[in-house]
């Protein structure tokens, strides 16, 4: 259920009000658009803009890992 196409569809549906916008996959932008790592590579979901926004609003920098399987080194295949 976390194929990039399905995530994109879910996001589109949330944005157009077809489903509750509580969908939070916390995936990095690359993964949201289906540009996943070929080799599973641990990486955070936050992009430069997210970090900048966090700084500007006095929040801690988002450091959580990307929720995508390709962010899990090892058994993700
Ligand atoms: Zn990712
Ligand atoms: Zn990915």
């Amino acid at each position: 259920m976390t194929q990039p196409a399905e995530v994109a569809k879910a996001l589109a549906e949330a944005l157009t009000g077809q489903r509750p916008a509580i969908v939070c996959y916390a995936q990095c932008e690359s993964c949201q658009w289906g540009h996943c790592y070929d080799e599973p590579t641990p990486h955070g979901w936050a992009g430069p803009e997210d970090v900048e926004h966090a700084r500007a609003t006095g929040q801690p920098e988002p450091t959580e890992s990307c929720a995508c399987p390709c962010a899990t080194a090892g058994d993700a295949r």
Side-chain angles (χ1 to χ4, degrees), residues 27-32 36-37 43-45 66-68 70-71:
Q27 289 188 343
C28 70
E29 201 162 319
S30 298
C31 289
Q32 282 178 38
C36 286
Y37 288 86
H43 60 281
W45 61 263
C66 175
C68 183
C70 81

Side-chain angles (χ1 to χ4, degrees), residues 6 9 13-15 19-20 22-23 26 30-34 40 43 52 55-57 64 68-69 73-74 77:
E6 288 182 308
K9 187 164 172 282
E13 286 176 359
L15 288 173
R19 69 162 70 189
I22 53 170
V23 184
S30 298
C31 289
Q32 282 178 38
W33 297 106
H43 60 281
E52 221 167 85
R55 275 196 198 135
T57 55
E64 289 89 359
C68 183
R77 65 170 50 221

